[in-house]
Coordinates of all heavy atoms in Angstrom, one line a residue:
F34 N -14.4 -58.1 -69.2 CA -14.9 -58.0 -67.8 C -16.4 -57.9 -67.7 O -17.0 -58.3 -66.7 CB -14.2 -57.0 -67.0 CG -14.5 -55.5 -67.4 CD1 -15.7 -54.9 -66.9 CD2 -13.7 -54.8 -68.1 CE1 -16.1 -53.6 -67.3 CE2 -14.0 -53.5 -68.5 CZ -15.1 -52.9 -68.1
A35 N -17.1 -57.5 -68.8 CA -18.6 -57.5 -68.7 C -19.2 -58.8 -68.6 O -20.2 -59.1 -68.0 CB -19.2 -56.6 -69.9
I36 N -18.6 -59.7 -69.3 CA -18.9 -61.1 -69.3 C -18.7 -61.7 -67.9 O -19.5 -62.4 -67.3 CB -18.2 -62.0 -70.4 CG1 -18.7 -61.6 -71.7 CG2 -18.5 -63.5 -70.1 CD1 -18.0 -62.3 -72.9
Q37 N -17.5 -61.3 -67.3 CA -17.3 -61.8 -65.9 C -18.3 -61.3 -65.0 O -18.6 -61.9 -64.0 CB -15.8 -61.3 -65.6 CG -14.7 -62.0 -66.4 CD -13.4 -61.7 -65.7 OE1 -13.2 -62.0 -64.6 NE2 -12.5 -61.2 -66.5
V38 N -18.8 -60.1 -65.2 CA -19.8 -59.5 -64.3 C -21.0 -60.4 -64.4 O -21.6 -60.8 -63.3 CB -20.2 -58.1 -64.8 CG1 -21.5 -57.6 -64.1 CG2 -19.1 -57.1 -64.4
A39 N -21.5 -60.8 -65.6 CA -22.6 -61.7 -65.8 C -22.4 -63.0 -65.1 O -23.3 -63.6 -64.5 CB -22.9 -61.8 -67.2
E40 N -21.1 -63.5 -65.2 CA -20.8 -64.8 -64.6 C -20.9 -64.7 -63.1 O -21.0 -65.8 -62.4 CB -19.4 -65.2 -65.0 CG -19.3 -65.6 -66.5 CD -17.9 -65.8 -67.0 OE1 -17.0 -65.4 -66.3 OE2 -17.7 -66.4 -68.1
H41 N -20.8 -63.5 -62.5 CA -21.0 -63.4 -61.0 C -22.4 -63.0 -60.7 O -22.7 -62.7 -59.5 CB -20.0 -62.3 -60.5 CG -18.6 -62.7 -60.4 ND1 -17.8 -63.0 -61.4 CD2 -17.9 -63.1 -59.2 CE1 -16.5 -63.4 -61.0 NE2 -16.6 -63.5 -59.6
G42 N -23.3 -63.2 -61.6 CA -24.7 -63.1 -61.3 C -25.3 -61.7 -61.4 O -26.5 -61.5 -60.9
L43 N -24.6 -60.8 -62.0 CA -25.1 -59.4 -62.1 C -25.4 -59.1 -63.6 O -24.8 -59.6 -64.5 CB -24.0 -58.4 -61.6 CG -23.6 -58.5 -60.2 CD1 -22.4 -57.6 -59.9 CD2 -24.7 -58.2 -59.2
A44 N -26.4 -58.3 -63.8 CA -26.7 -57.8 -65.1 C -25.7 -56.8 -65.6 O -25.3 -55.9 -64.8 CB -28.1 -57.2 -65.2
A45 N -25.1 -57.0 -66.7 CA -24.1 -56.1 -67.3 C -24.6 -55.2 -68.4 O -25.1 -55.8 -69.4 CB -22.9 -56.9 -67.8
V46 N -24.5 -53.9 -68.3 CA -24.9 -53.0 -69.4 C -23.6 -52.4 -69.9 O -23.0 -51.5 -69.3 CB -25.9 -51.9 -68.9 CG1 -26.2 -51.0 -70.0 CG2 -27.1 -52.6 -68.3
A47 N -23.1 -52.9 -71.0 CA -21.8 -52.5 -71.5 C -22.0 -51.3 -72.5 O -22.8 -51.5 -73.5 CB -21.1 -53.6 -72.2
I48 N -21.4 -50.2 -72.3 CA -21.6 -49.1 -73.1 C -20.3 -48.7 -73.9 O -19.2 -49.0 -73.6 CB -22.1 -47.8 -72.3 CG1 -20.9 -47.3 -71.4 CG2 -23.3 -48.1 -71.5 CD1 -21.3 -46.0 -70.7
E49 N -20.6 -48.1 -75.1 CA -19.5 -47.6 -75.9 C -19.2 -46.2 -75.6 O -20.0 -45.2 -75.9 CB -19.9 -47.7 -77.4 CG -18.8 -47.5 -78.4 CD -17.9 -48.6 -78.6 OE1 -17.0 -48.8 -77.7 OE2 -18.1 -49.4 -79.5
P50 N -18.0 -45.9 -75.0 CA -17.7 -44.5 -74.7 C -17.5 -43.6 -76.0 O -17.1 -44.2 -77.0 CB -16.4 -44.6 -73.9 CG -16.3 -46.0 -73.5 CD -17.0 -46.9 -74.5
M51 N -17.7 -42.4 -75.8 CA -17.5 -41.5 -77.0 C -16.1 -41.5 -77.4 O -15.1 -41.6 -76.6 CB -17.8 -40.1 -76.5 CG -17.7 -39.0 -77.6 SD -18.2 -37.4 -77.1 CE -20.0 -37.6 -76.8
A52 N -15.9 -41.7 -78.8 CA -14.6 -41.7 -79.4 C -13.9 -43.1 -79.3 O -12.8 -43.3 -79.7 CB -13.7 -40.7 -78.9
F53 N -14.6 -44.1 -78.8 CA -14.1 -45.5 -78.8 C -15.0 -46.3 -79.8 O -16.1 -46.0 -80.1 CB -14.3 -46.1 -77.5 CG -13.2 -45.7 -76.4 CD1 -12.3 -44.8 -76.7 CD2 -13.2 -46.3 -75.2 CE1 -11.3 -44.4 -75.8 CE2 -12.3 -45.9 -74.2 CZ -11.3 -44.9 -74.5
G54 N -14.4 -47.3 -80.3 CA -15.2 -48.3 -81.1 C -16.1 -47.7 -82.2 O -15.6 -46.9 -83.0
C55 N -17.3 -48.0 -82.1 CA -18.3 -47.6 -83.2 C -18.7 -46.1 -83.0 O -19.3 -45.5 -83.9 CB -19.5 -48.4 -83.2 SG -20.6 -48.2 -81.7
R56 N -18.1 -45.4 -82.0 CA -18.4 -44.0 -81.8 C -17.2 -43.1 -82.2 O -17.1 -42.0 -81.7 CB -18.8 -43.7 -80.4 CG -20.2 -44.4 -80.0 CD -20.6 -44.0 -78.6 NE -21.1 -42.6 -78.5 CZ -21.3 -42.0 -77.4 NH1 -21.2 -42.6 -76.2 NH2 -21.7 -40.7 -77.4
R57 N -16.3 -43.6 -83.0 CA -15.2 -42.8 -83.5 C -15.6 -42.1 -84.7 O -16.6 -42.4 -85.4 CB -14.0 -43.7 -83.8 CG -13.4 -44.4 -82.6 CD -12.4 -45.4 -83.0 NE -13.0 -46.5 -83.8 CZ -12.3 -47.3 -84.6 NH1 -11.0 -47.1 -84.8 NH2 -12.9 -48.3 -85.3
D58 N -14.9 -41.0 -85.0 CA -15.2 -40.3 -86.2 C -14.7 -41.1 -87.5 O -13.9 -42.1 -87.3 CB -14.4 -38.9 -86.2 CG -12.9 -39.1 -86.2 OD1 -12.3 -39.2 -87.3 OD2 -12.3 -39.2 -85.1
P59 N -15.2 -40.9 -88.6 CA -14.9 -41.7 -89.8 C -13.4 -41.8 -90.1 O -12.9 -42.9 -90.5 CB -15.6 -40.9 -90.9 CG -16.8 -40.2 -90.3 CD -16.2 -39.8 -88.9
K60 N -12.7 -40.8 -89.9 CA -11.2 -40.8 -90.2 C -10.5 -41.8 -89.2 O -9.7 -42.6 -89.7 CB -10.6 -39.4 -90.1 CG -9.1 -39.4 -90.4 CD -8.6 -37.9 -90.4 CE -7.1 -37.9 -90.7 NZ -6.6 -36.5 -90.7
A61 N -10.8 -41.7 -88.0 CA -10.2 -42.6 -87.0 C -10.7 -44.1 -87.3 O -9.9 -45.0 -87.2 CB -10.6 -42.2 -85.6
A62 N -12.0 -44.2 -87.7 CA -12.5 -45.6 -87.9 C -11.7 -46.2 -89.1 O -11.5 -47.5 -89.0 CB -14.0 -45.5 -88.2
K63 N -11.3 -45.5 -90.1 CA -10.6 -46.1 -91.2 C -9.2 -46.6 -90.8 O -8.6 -47.3 -91.6 CB -10.5 -45.0 -92.3 CG -11.8 -44.7 -93.0 CD -11.6 -43.6 -94.1 CE -13.0 -43.3 -94.8 NZ -12.8 -42.3 -95.8
Q64 N -8.7 -46.1 -89.7 CA -7.4 -46.5 -89.3 C -7.3 -47.8 -88.5 O -6.2 -48.2 -88.0 CB -6.7 -45.4 -88.5 CG -6.5 -44.1 -89.4 CD -5.8 -43.0 -88.6 OE1 -4.7 -43.2 -88.1 NE2 -6.5 -41.8 -88.5
G65 N -8.4 -48.5 -88.4 CA -8.5 -49.8 -87.8 C -9.2 -49.8 -86.4 O -9.4 -48.8 -85.8
L66 N -9.5 -51.0 -86.0 CA -10.3 -51.2 -84.8 C -9.7 -50.6 -83.5 O -10.4 -50.1 -82.6 CB -10.6 -52.7 -84.6 CG -11.6 -53.3 -85.6 CD1 -11.6 -54.8 -85.4 CD2 -13.0 -52.8 -85.4
G67 N -8.3 -50.7 -83.4 CA -7.7 -50.3 -82.2 C -7.3 -48.8 -82.2 O -6.7 -48.4 -81.2
H68 N -7.6 -48.1 -83.3 CA -7.1 -46.7 -83.3 C -8.2 -45.8 -82.5 O -9.3 -45.7 -82.8 CB -7.0 -46.2 -84.7 CG -6.4 -44.8 -84.8 ND1 -5.1 -44.5 -84.8 CD2 -7.1 -43.6 -85.0 CE1 -4.9 -43.3 -84.9 NE2 -6.1 -42.7 -85.0
S69 N -7.7 -45.0 -81.6 CA -8.5 -44.2 -80.8 C -8.9 -42.9 -81.5 O -8.1 -42.3 -82.3 CB -7.8 -43.8 -79.5 OG -8.4 -42.7 -78.8
G70 N -10.1 -42.5 -81.3 CA -10.6 -41.2 -81.9 C -10.7 -40.1 -80.9 O -11.4 -39.1 -81.1
C71 N -10.0 -40.2 -79.7 CA -10.1 -39.3 -78.6 C -9.6 -37.9 -78.9 O -10.3 -37.0 -78.5 CB -9.3 -39.8 -77.4 SG -10.0 -41.4 -76.7
Q72 N -8.5 -37.8 -79.6 CA -7.9 -36.4 -79.7 C -8.8 -35.3 -80.3 O -9.0 -34.3 -79.7 CB -6.6 -36.5 -80.4 CG -5.8 -35.2 -80.4 CD -4.4 -35.3 -80.8 OE1 -3.8 -36.3 -80.8 NE2 -3.9 -34.2 -81.3
P73 N -9.4 -35.6 -81.5 CA -10.2 -34.5 -82.0 C -11.5 -34.2 -81.2 O -11.9 -33.1 -81.1 CB -10.6 -35.0 -83.4 CG -10.4 -36.5 -83.3 CD -9.3 -36.7 -82.4
V74 N -12.0 -35.2 -80.6 CA -13.2 -35.0 -79.8 C -13.0 -34.3 -78.5 O -13.6 -33.4 -78.1 CB -14.0 -36.3 -79.5 CG1 -15.3 -36.1 -78.8 CG2 -14.3 -37.1 -80.9
A75 N -11.9 -34.8 -77.8 CA -11.5 -34.2 -76.6 C -11.0 -32.8 -76.8 O -11.3 -31.8 -76.0 CB -10.4 -35.0 -75.9
G76 N -10.3 -32.5 -77.9 CA -9.9 -31.2 -78.2 C -11.1 -30.3 -78.5 O -11.1 -29.1 -78.0
A77 N -12.1 -30.8 -79.1 CA -13.4 -30.0 -79.4 C -14.0 -29.6 -78.1 O -14.5 -28.5 -77.9 CB -14.3 -30.8 -80.3
A78 N -14.0 -30.6 -77.2 CA -14.7 -30.4 -75.9 C -14.0 -29.2 -75.2 O -14.6 -28.3 -74.6 CB -14.6 -31.6 -75.0
L79 N -12.6 -29.2 -75.2 CA -11.9 -28.1 -74.5 C -12.1 -26.7 -75.2 O -12.2 -25.8 -74.5 CB -10.3 -28.5 -74.6 CG -9.9 -29.7 -73.8 CD1 -8.4 -30.0 -74.1 CD2 -10.1 -29.5 -72.3
L80 N -12.3 -26.7 -76.5 CA -12.6 -25.5 -77.2 C -14.0 -24.9 -76.7 O -14.2 -23.7 -76.8 CB -12.6 -25.7 -78.7 CG -11.2 -25.9 -79.3 CD1 -11.4 -26.3 -80.8 CD2 -10.3 -24.7 -79.2
L81 N -14.8 -25.8 -76.3 CA -16.1 -25.4 -75.9 C -16.2 -25.2 -74.4 O -17.3 -24.9 -73.8 CB -17.2 -26.5 -76.3 CG -17.4 -26.7 -77.8 CD1 -18.2 -27.9 -78.1 CD2 -18.1 -25.4 -78.3
G82 N -15.0 -25.3 -73.7 CA -15.0 -25.1 -72.3 C -15.5 -26.3 -71.5 O -15.9 -26.2 -70.4
Q83 N -15.5 -27.5 -72.1 CA -16.0 -28.7 -71.5 C -14.9 -29.7 -71.6 O -13.7 -29.4 -72.0 CB -17.2 -29.2 -72.2 CG -18.4 -28.2 -72.2 CD -19.6 -28.6 -72.8 OE1 -20.0 -29.8 -72.7 NE2 -20.3 -27.7 -73.5
T84 N -15.1 -31.0 -71.2 CA -14.1 -32.0 -71.3 C -14.7 -33.4 -71.7 O -15.9 -33.6 -71.6 CB -13.6 -32.3 -69.8 OG1 -14.6 -32.8 -69.0 CG2 -12.9 -31.0 -69.2
M85 N -13.8 -34.2 -72.2 CA -14.3 -35.5 -72.7 C -14.8 -36.3 -71.4 O -15.8 -37.0 -71.6 CB -13.1 -36.3 -73.3 CG -13.4 -37.7 -73.7 SD -14.5 -37.9 -75.1 CE -13.2 -38.0 -76.3
I86 N -14.1 -36.1 -70.3 CA -14.6 -36.8 -69.1 C -16.0 -36.4 -68.8 O -16.8 -37.3 -68.5 CB -13.7 -36.5 -67.9 CG1 -12.3 -37.2 -68.1 CG2 -14.3 -37.0 -66.6 CD1 -11.3 -36.8 -67.0
G87 N -16.3 -35.1 -68.9 CA -17.7 -34.7 -68.6 C -18.7 -35.3 -69.6 O -19.8 -35.7 -69.2
W88 N -18.3 -35.4 -70.9 CA -19.2 -36.0 -71.8 C -19.4 -37.5 -71.6 O -20.5 -38.0 -71.7 CB -18.6 -35.7 -73.3 CG -18.7 -34.3 -73.7 CD1 -19.3 -33.3 -73.0 CD2 -18.2 -33.8 -75.0 NE1 -19.2 -32.1 -73.8 CE2 -18.5 -32.4 -75.0 CE3 -17.6 -34.3 -76.0 CZ2 -18.2 -31.5 -76.0 CZ3 -17.2 -33.5 -77.1 CH2 -17.6 -32.1 -77.1
R89 N -18.3 -38.2 -71.2 CA -18.5 -39.6 -70.9 C -19.3 -39.8 -69.6 O -20.1 -40.8 -69.6 CB -17.2 -40.3 -70.9 CG -16.5 -40.4 -72.2 CD -15.1 -41.0 -72.2 NE -14.6 -41.1 -73.5 CZ -13.3 -41.3 -73.8 NH1 -12.4 -41.4 -72.9 NH2 -12.9 -41.5 -75.1
V90 N -19.2 -39.0 -68.6 CA -20.0 -39.1 -67.4 C -21.5 -38.9 -67.8 O -22.4 -39.6 -67.3 CB -19.5 -38.0 -66.4 CG1 -20.6 -37.9 -65.2 CG2 -18.2 -38.4 -65.8
Y91 N -21.7 -37.9 -68.7 CA -23.1 -37.7 -69.2 C -23.7 -39.0 -69.8 O -24.8 -39.3 -69.6 CB -23.1 -36.6 -70.2 CG -24.5 -36.2 -70.7 CD1 -25.3 -35.4 -70.1 CD2 -24.9 -36.8 -71.9 CE1 -26.6 -35.0 -70.5 CE2 -26.2 -36.4 -72.5 CZ -27.0 -35.6 -71.8 OH -28.2 -35.3 -72.2
D92 N -22.8 -39.7 -70.6 CA -23.2 -41.0 -71.1 C -23.7 -42.0 -70.1 O -24.7 -42.7 -70.2 CB -22.1 -41.6 -72.0 CG -22.0 -41.0 -73.4 OD1 -22.9 -40.3 -73.8 OD2 -21.0 -41.3 -74.0
V93 N -22.9 -42.1 -69.0 CA -23.2 -43.0 -67.9 C -24.6 -42.5 -67.2 O -25.4 -43.4 -67.0 CB -22.1 -43.0 -66.9 CG1 -22.6 -43.8 -65.6 CG2 -20.9 -43.6 -67.5
M94 N -24.7 -41.3 -67.0 CA -26.0 -40.8 -66.4 C -27.2 -41.1 -67.3 O -28.2 -41.6 -66.8 CB -25.9 -39.3 -66.2 CG -24.9 -38.9 -65.1 SD -24.8 -37.1 -65.0 CE -23.8 -36.9 -63.5
R95 N -27.1 -40.9 -68.6 CA -28.1 -41.2 -69.5 C -28.4 -42.8 -69.6 O -29.5 -43.2 -69.8 CB -27.9 -40.7 -70.9 CG -27.8 -39.2 -71.0 CD -29.0 -38.5 -70.7 NE -29.4 -38.5 -69.3 CZ -28.9 -37.7 -68.3 NH1 -28.0 -36.8 -68.7 NH2 -29.4 -37.7 -67.1
T96 N -27.3 -43.6 -69.4 CA -27.5 -45.0 -69.4 C -28.3 -45.4 -68.2 O -29.2 -46.3 -68.3 CB -26.1 -45.7 -69.3 OG1 -25.3 -45.4 -70.5 CG2 -26.2 -47.2 -69.2
I97 N -28.1 -44.7 -67.1 CA -28.9 -45.1 -65.9 C -30.3 -44.6 -66.1 O -31.3 -45.3 -65.6 CB -28.3 -44.4 -64.6 CG1 -26.9 -45.0 -64.4 CG2 -29.1 -44.7 -63.4 CD1 -26.1 -44.3 -63.2
D98 N -30.5 -43.5 -66.8 CA -31.9 -43.2 -67.2 C -32.6 -44.3 -67.9 O -33.7 -44.6 -67.7 CB -31.9 -41.9 -68.0 CG -31.6 -40.6 -67.2 OD1 -31.6 -40.6 -66.0 OD2 -31.3 -39.6 -67.9
W99 N -31.8 -44.9 -68.9 CA -32.4 -46.0 -69.6 C -32.7 -47.2 -68.8 O -33.7 -47.8 -68.9 CB -31.4 -46.4 -70.8 CG -31.8 -47.5 -71.6 CD1 -32.7 -47.6 -72.6 CD2 -31.3 -48.9 -71.4 NE1 -32.8 -48.9 -73.1 CE2 -32.0 -49.7 -72.3 CE3 -30.5 -49.5 -70.5 CZ2 -31.8 -51.1 -72.4 CZ3 -30.2 -50.9 -70.6 CH2 -30.9 -51.6 -71.5
I100 N -31.8 -47.5 -67.8 CA -32.0 -48.6 -66.9 C -33.3 -48.4 -66.1 O -34.0 -49.4 -65.9 CB -30.8 -48.7 -66.0 CG1 -29.6 -49.2 -66.7 CG2 -31.1 -49.7 -64.8 CD1 -28.3 -49.3 -65.9
E101 N -33.6 -47.2 -65.8 CA -34.9 -46.9 -65.1 C -36.1 -47.3 -65.9 O -37.2 -47.6 -65.3 CB -35.0 -45.4 -64.7 CG -34.0 -45.0 -63.6 CD -34.2 -43.5 -63.2 OE1 -34.5 -42.7 -64.1 OE2 -34.0 -43.2 -62.1
T102 N -36.0 -47.4 -67.2 CA -37.1 -47.7 -68.0 C -37.3 -49.3 -68.2 O -38.3 -49.7 -68.9 CB -37.0 -47.1 -69.4 OG1 -36.0 -47.8 -70.2 CG2 -36.7 -45.6 -69.3
R103 N -36.3 -50.0 -67.8 CA -36.3 -51.5 -68.0 C -36.8 -52.2 -66.8 O -36.3 -52.2 -65.7 CB -34.9 -52.0 -68.3 CG -34.2 -51.2 -69.4 CD -34.9 -51.3 -70.8 NE -35.0 -52.8 -71.2 CZ -35.5 -53.1 -72.4 NH1 -35.9 -52.3 -73.2 NH2 -35.5 -54.4 -72.6
K104 N -37.9 -52.9 -67.0 CA -38.6 -53.7 -65.9 C -37.7 -54.8 -65.4 O -37.8 -55.2 -64.2 CB -39.9 -54.2 -66.4 CG -40.9 -53.2 -66.7 CD -42.2 -53.8 -67.1 CE -43.3 -52.7 -67.4 NZ -44.6 -53.3 -67.9
E105 N -36.8 -55.3 -66.3 CA -35.9 -56.4 -65.8 C -34.7 -56.0 -65.0 O -33.9 -56.8 -64.5 CB -35.6 -57.3 -67.0 CG -34.5 -56.6 -67.9 CD -35.2 -55.8 -69.0 OE1 -36.3 -55.3 -68.8 OE2 -34.6 -55.7 -70.1
L106 N -34.5 -54.7 -65.0 CA -33.3 -54.1 -64.2 C -33.8 -53.3 -63.0 O -34.9 -52.8 -63.0 CB -32.5 -53.3 -65.2 CG -32.0 -54.0 -66.4 CD1 -31.2 -53.0 -67.3 CD2 -31.0 -55.1 -66.1
D107 N -33.0 -53.3 -62.0 CA -33.3 -52.6 -60.8 C -32.4 -51.4 -60.6 O -31.2 -51.5 -60.3 CB -33.1 -53.6 -59.6 CG -33.5 -53.0 -58.3 OD1 -33.9 -51.8 -58.2 OD2 -33.4 -53.7 -57.2
V108 N -33.0 -50.2 -60.8 CA -32.2 -49.0 -60.7 C -31.8 -48.7 -59.3 O -30.9 -47.8 -59.1 CB -33.0 -47.8 -61.3 CG1 -34.1 -47.3 -60.4 CG2 -32.1 -46.6 -61.7
G109 N -32.4 -49.3 -58.3 CA -32.0 -49.2 -56.9 C -30.7 -49.9 -56.6 O -30.1 -49.8 -55.5
H110 N -30.2 -50.7 -57.5 CA -28.9 -51.5 -57.3 C -28.0 -51.3 -58.5 O -27.5 -52.3 -59.1 CB -29.2 -53.0 -57.1 CG -30.0 -53.2 -55.8 ND1 -31.3 -53.1 -55.7 CD2 -29.5 -53.5 -54.6 CE1 -31.7 -53.3 -54.4 NE2 -30.6 -53.6 -53.7
V111 N -27.8 -50.1 -58.9 CA -26.9 -49.8 -60.1 C -25.4 -49.6 -59.6 O -25.2 -48.9 -58.7 CB -27.4 -48.6 -60.9 CG1 -26.3 -48.2 -61.9 CG2 -28.7 -48.8 -61.5
G112 N -24.5 -50.3 -60.3 CA -23.1 -50.1 -60.1 C -22.4 -49.5 -61.4 O -23.1 -49.5 -62.4
C113 N -21.2 -49.2 -61.2 CA -20.4 -48.8 -62.4 C -19.0 -49.2 -62.2 O -18.4 -49.2 -61.1 CB -20.4 -47.2 -62.5 SG -19.7 -46.6 -64.0
M114 N -18.4 -49.7 -63.3 CA -17.0 -50.2 -63.3 C -16.3 -50.0 -64.6 O -16.9 -49.8 -65.6 CB -17.0 -51.6 -62.9 CG -17.6 -52.5 -64.0 SD -17.6 -54.3 -63.5 CE -16.0 -54.7 -63.3
G115 N -15.0 -49.9 -64.5 CA -14.2 -49.8 -65.8 C -12.7 -49.9 -65.5 O -12.2 -49.8 -64.4
I116 N -12.0 -50.2 -66.6 CA -10.6 -50.4 -66.5 C -9.9 -49.2 -67.3 O -10.4 -48.8 -68.4 CB -10.1 -51.7 -67.1 CG1 -8.7 -51.8 -67.4 CG2 -10.9 -52.1 -68.4 CD1 -7.7 -51.9 -66.2
S117 N -8.8 -48.6 -66.8 CA -8.0 -47.6 -67.5 C -8.9 -46.4 -67.8 O -9.5 -45.8 -66.9 CB -7.4 -48.2 -68.8 OG -6.5 -47.4 -69.3
G118 N -9.1 -46.1 -69.1 CA -10.0 -45.0 -69.4 C -11.4 -45.1 -68.9 O -12.1 -44.2 -68.6
G119 N -11.8 -46.4 -68.8 CA -13.1 -46.7 -68.2 C -13.1 -46.5 -66.7 O -14.2 -46.2 -66.1
G120 N -11.9 -46.7 -66.1 CA -11.8 -46.4 -64.7 C -11.9 -44.9 -64.4 O -12.4 -44.5 -63.4

Side-chain angles (χ1 to χ4, degrees):
F34 70 80
I36 291 179
Q37 294 191 54
V38 166
E40 291 171 346
H41 279 76
L43 300 172
V46 180
I48 66 173
E49 186 78 278
M51 185 177 292
F53 284 3
C55 65
R56 296 185 70 190
R57 294 173 297 162
D58 64 90
K60 184 177 180 179
K63 288 180 180 179
Q64 297 184 56
L66 291 170
H68 185 82
S69 168
C71 293
Q72 184 166 338
V74 182
L79 294 174
L80 288 173
L81 294 169
Q83 301 181 39
T84 64
M85 176 73 92
I86 292 176
W88 288 358
R89 288 177 176 165
V90 168
Y91 181 84
D92 280 347
V93 171
M94 291 176 171
R95 298 292 73 79
T96 299
I97 298 173
D98 288 345
W99 175 82
I100 289 172
E101 288 184 327
T102 71
R103 306 298 300 185
K104 294 181 179 179
E105 70 273 27
L106 300 176
D107 184 357
V108 75
H110 292 84
V111 171
C113 186
M114 67 185 297
I116 166 74
S117 193

